[in-house]
Amino acid sequence: MSVSGERKASASASLARSVRGTTPRLADLASTPESPRTPLQRATAAAAATATATSSLYSSPSGNYRTEDEYVVLEVGSRFVRGGFAGESAPRCTLAFGPDGQKRVGDYRQYDPSYNQRRRHRKIAKEPGEDAELYERRKLQEWGEDYGLYCLDVSQVDMNLLGDKLERALRETYSKYFLLDSKPRRITLALPSRLPHALLSKTLDVLFKNFHAPSITLMSNPVLSTVAAGLRSALVVDIGWAETLVTAVCEYREVHEKRSLRAGKWLSEEMAKVLNTELDEDAASDSPKADVSFEEAEEVLTRVGWCKPIARGNRRTVYFTAQEAPVLEEWEDAVETPPPAVTIPFPKHTPPTELKVAFDTLAKPAESILFEPEVPASKFDDEELPIHHLIYRTLVALPVDVRRLCMSRIVITGGAAAMPGLKTRILKEVELLVQSRGWDPVKTWNIAAARHEERLRAQQRHLARHMQNGSGKVPESLVPATPSSPMPAGLQEPEIDNIDIKLANASLKNGPPLECAVGGSIRGVDTLGAWAGASLVTNQRVRGIVEIERERYLQHGLQGASRDKEVSVIPQRQSMMGPVVARGAGERVSWTLGVWA
């Protein structure tokens, strides 16, 4: 008999035993090539039970089976939702909010060929008797309102609509990108550190009631951005949509913050104004005024928007009068090079056109909104400071030791931070402010200096009058004292300390200083973003301070949080009676809202 015949005979014999009710032998199962299996271990039942008990008592929980809880990492912003799993370097999806995501069932307008050829934005009409300044302010508030999830003015937010938007985005994230089963997962939620309680409560309601998360850990974006940069202390500059937030983080704690309204929203509207001006100049005189939509302004800002570098030498241009203007000699055959230009198509314009814009014009929104160098700092409100002044004032308000760490670890993040040339310009502007003003928080020394000079002039006039009267000696009280140096102490050269020199020489024997010890100079550090920091922290099983359980939240809501901003997570003393008695020793007795309190 051949080999194939023997295999068929063994297979048919094993099949016959299974039909007759006889248990197949291990040798028959192992010798059947049609159904390969892993051979079973030949061990007695008692030995198997002993091995299982030993493994459960003395081995790690993941030795045989995976018992760790799976975490879902979410970042909810004002215009997007990012989602992924713990341990991944980038989110699996980034879903933006827009009017197309608010369609109802039976809305088939997107299949109309002319639907994508029209500008879809709301007309903001001026009310009768409304002031022009109030009208412009209202237009700015409503600019891009359909493309966001929420705004910080809670009185203008429809909470039910916000919950529907967030639930729809999370449903798409779970079903289309996560591909998870119905098992509830724990959630790590990255949020801004000053989110209003109404928005926070609505977000937790959606996650607890609609997605049945067992627990949610809240973490603030500035701390997570610091973690994603590989730092413990940093000055996080978050250029967001509605505001720019500068937060000083020291040892993973937020110690100081300042904010400004100069952010992506003002930047987008300024780009729309620049494009409307260019379209009106290029169009005929009898044509209607251009009205660029939010989508067009956002796309132009994202694709070709940029920031000019700081000018060499002085930041401001020096202008000469007509008589003193330098004469430039040009050769007769010299060819003037035209400035570079960019051609931008506008298919939704009436009629469709292409606009040729100078490349320098596309840098005007960033120059006028984020910096505005021609206006002195005293003219700005505290809530609308340019970015470099905002960073400088935050550094001045910090203690000396914290300032030394933060000024060398400036982390610039946010949606508008990806603009070419913006990070370099911010760092250069901050460095110029530090060099010109120092770290003295008092800015009124000029008034005292003027009073001192006036007093010296009065003494000199009195001295001259006394000499003209013919008296012999001049009183010592009338002799003007030598004026002191007007240079502040922060800008003077420090005295040489021999002890510091010896310590510096001794530290060089062990090699160059570590990067974590660098301080005292303006320096920027790149970061992977708040979501990557949350993924890293969650993957390391770091237990957050703000951890909310589902049962306690559904019972008490946000009112169940304790007043203390920190809750001890140190496990209590365990008993010697075994693991069953000490199972709940490390559980929290209460929970807190931390920085959101």
Side-chain angles (χ1 to χ4, degrees):
M1 183 180 295
S2 60
V3 178
S4 60
E6 293 178 358
R7 292 177 178 175
K8 292 180 180 179
S10 62
S12 60
S14 62
L15 181 61
R17 292 191 186 94
S18 62
V19 171
R20 291 194 300 269
T22 306
T23 304
R25 296 176 298 180
L26 293 176
D28 296 335
L29 296 176
S31 62
T32 305
E34 287 78 11
S35 59
R37 295 184 177 88
T38 302
L40 301 177
Q41 297 180 356
R42 298 184 180 182
T44 60
T50 304
T52 305
T54 305
S55 174
S56 62
L57 288 177
Y58 301 101
S59 300
S60 61
S62 59
N64 296 326
Y65 303 98
R66 182 175 179 178
T67 59
E68 299 177 355
D69 296 330
E70 294 183 0
Y71 278 82
V72 173
V73 181
L74 298 175
E75 181 185 359
V76 179
S78 59
R79 291 190 57 194
F80 63 87
V81 170
R82 292 193 179 105
F85 296 103
E88 297 179 347
S89 60
R92 295 205 170 188
C93 64
T94 301
L95 301 181
F97 296 96
D100 292 337
Q102 306 175 21
K103 295 181 295 185
R104 299 181 178 180
V105 178
D107 189 357
Y108 301 107
R109 290 180 296 174
Q110 58 179 341
Y111 300 103
D112 186 4
S114 61
Y115 178 71
N116 293 326
Q117 302 298 327
R118 298 192 301 265
R119 288 174 174 168
R120 302 186 301 273
H121 65 284
R122 293 185 301 175
K123 297 285 186 179
I124 303 176
K126 186 176 181 179
E127 298 179 357
E130 186 179 12
D131 188 12
E133 184 178 355
L134 295 178
Y135 174 67
E136 293 295 332
R137 187 180 304 173
R138 187 165 59 88
K139 283 182 60 178
L140 179 59
Q141 292 177 355
E142 298 182 8
W143 173 260
E145 185 178 355
D146 296 336
Y147 294 84
L149 177 62
Y150 62 84
C151 62
L152 297 178
D153 188 3
V154 186
S155 61
Q156 304 295 331
V157 177
D158 187 355
M159 290 300 170
N160 295 327
L161 179 60
L162 184 145
D164 294 340
K165 287 183 180 181
L166 183 59
E167 182 184 358
R168 177 175 293 187
L170 292 178
R171 290 286 183 192
E172 183 179 357
T173 303
Y174 272 73
S175 60
K176 187 176 180 180
Y177 297 96
F178 289 174
L179 303 178
L180 297 174
D181 53 10
S182 58
K183 175 185 175 182
R185 264 76 175 179
R186 298 181 182 273
I187 295 177
T188 299
L189 190 60
L191 292 175
S193 57
R194 288 297 179 264
L195 193 68
H197 281 191
L199 301 179
L200 178 60
S201 177
K202 193 62 180 181
T203 304
L204 295 178
D205 287 342
V206 171
L207 294 175
F208 278 131
K209 296 180 181 179
N210 298 333
F211 296 91
H212 307 283
S215 67
I216 297 178
T217 302
L218 301 183
M219 296 185 180
S220 63
N221 289 341
V223 176
L224 294 177
S225 299
T226 304
V227 173
L231 304 173
R232 301 173 62 92
S233 304
L235 187 72
V236 182
V237 183
D238 188 359
I239 309 176
W241 169 246
E243 62 180 5
T244 296
L245 183 65
V246 178
T247 308
V249 178
C250 182
E251 294 297 330
Y252 303 128
R253 295 176 182 268
E254 300 179 16
V255 295
H256 192 74
E257 72 170 8
K258 286 184 178 294
R259 60 187 61 212
S260 174
L261 295 177
R262 296 178 180 270
K265 190 173 184 178
W266 286 20
L267 202 61
S268 177
E269 190 189 24
E270 185 66 21
M271 178 61 76
K273 293 180 180 178
V274 170
L275 294 177
N276 287 332
T277 304
E278 295 292 333
L279 286 173
D280 292 338
E281 292 179 357
D282 190 62
S285 58
D286 56 345
S287 59
K289 290 187 177 181
D291 190 9
V292 176
S293 64
F294 176 83
E295 294 179 351
E296 294 172 333
E298 189 77 7
E299 187 172 1
V300 172
L301 182 64
T302 305
R303 291 179 179 270
V304 293
W306 65 292
C307 180
K308 289 183 179 180
I310 191 170
R312 296 182 179 179
N314 191 6
R315 181 165 57 92
R316 293 178 176 83
T317 305
V318 178
Y319 294 95
F320 297 93
T321 59
Q323 298 178 356
E324 300 178 356
V327 179
L328 300 179
E329 297 182 357
E330 298 181 358
W331 299 97
E332 296 180 357
D333 56 348
V335 179
E336 183 179 358
T337 304
V342 179
T343 302
I344 304 174
F346 287 92
K348 299 180 181 180
H349 189 67
T350 306
T353 182
E354 290 185 353
L355 179 63
K356 190 173 182 180
V357 186
F359 195 60
D360 290 343
T361 306
L362 300 174
K364 290 182 179 180
E367 185 77 14
S368 59
I369 294 298
L370 301 182
F371 299 101
E372 203 164 358
E374 285 76 16
V375 182
S378 59
K379 300 296 183 180
F380 296 112
D381 189 74
D382 291 341
E383 300 297 330
E384 60 168 5
L385 287 173
I387 294 182
H388 55 293
H389 286 281
L390 188 68
I391 297 174
Y392 173 73
R393 292 194 180 185
T394 306
L395 290 174
V396 169
L398 294 176
V400 177
D401 296 333
V402 179
R403 183 197 305 157
R404 176 184 175 273
L405 295 174
C406 291
M407 67 183 296
S408 299
R409 296 159 181 83
I410 300 179
V411 177
I412 303 176
T413 182
M419 180 179 293
L422 180 59
K423 295 181 180 180
T424 306
R425 175 68 181 276
I426 291 176
L427 296 177
K428 291 294 184 181
E429 291 282 356
V430 174
E431 188 174 1
L432 281 178
L433 284 176
V434 172
Q435 292 177 0
S436 60
R437 300 186 180 184
W439 300 112
D440 196 347
V442 180
K443 305 303 179 186
T444 58
W445 293 113
N446 293 332
I447 300 177
R451 293 177 180 175
H452 182 64
E453 292 178 359
E454 183 64 27
R455 191 179 299 110
L456 289 178
R457 294 193 191 98
Q459 290 181 359
Q460 290 176 358
R461 289 194 299 267
H462 188 54
L463 177 61
R465 191 181 307 111
H466 190 80
M467 293 294 294
Q468 289 178 359
N469 294 335
S471 59
K473 296 182 179 180
V474 180
E476 296 181 357
S477 59
L478 297 180
V479 177
T482 303
S484 58
S485 176
M487 182 179 296
L491 298 179
Q492 295 179 6
E493 292 293 333
E495 298 181 357
I496 299 177
D497 192 353
N498 296 328
I499 298 178
D500 290 342
I501 295 176
K502 291 181 180 180
L503 292 177
N505 295 333
S507 63
L508 293 177
K509 295 180 181 179
N510 300 326
L514 300 176
E515 289 295 331
C516 58
V518 175
S521 60
I522 301 297
R523 188 186 64 161
V525 181
D526 290 331
T527 181
L528 297 178
W531 190 94
S535 175
L536 177 61
V537 170
T538 307
N539 188 48
Q540 296 297 324
R541 295 294 186 263
V542 178
R543 196 171 185 181
I545 294 178
V546 185
E547 187 172 346
I548 308 174
E549 301 293 337
R550 182 172 183 270
E551 291 77 9
R552 294 179 181 176
Y553 177 80
L554 295 180
Q555 184 178 2
H556 302 288
L558 291 182
Q559 304 299 327
S562 61
R563 292 293 180 181
D564 297 335
K565 292 192 176 183
E566 293 184 5
V567 176
S568 177
V569 295
I570 302 176
Q572 302 295 328
R573 184 177 180 182
Q574 297 184 1
S575 174
M576 299 300 293
M577 300 300 294
V580 178
V581 178
R583 177 176 299 175
E587 294 182 356
R588 298 173 183 266
V589 179
S590 61
W591 60 281
T592 178
L593 287 177
V595 296
W596 291 275

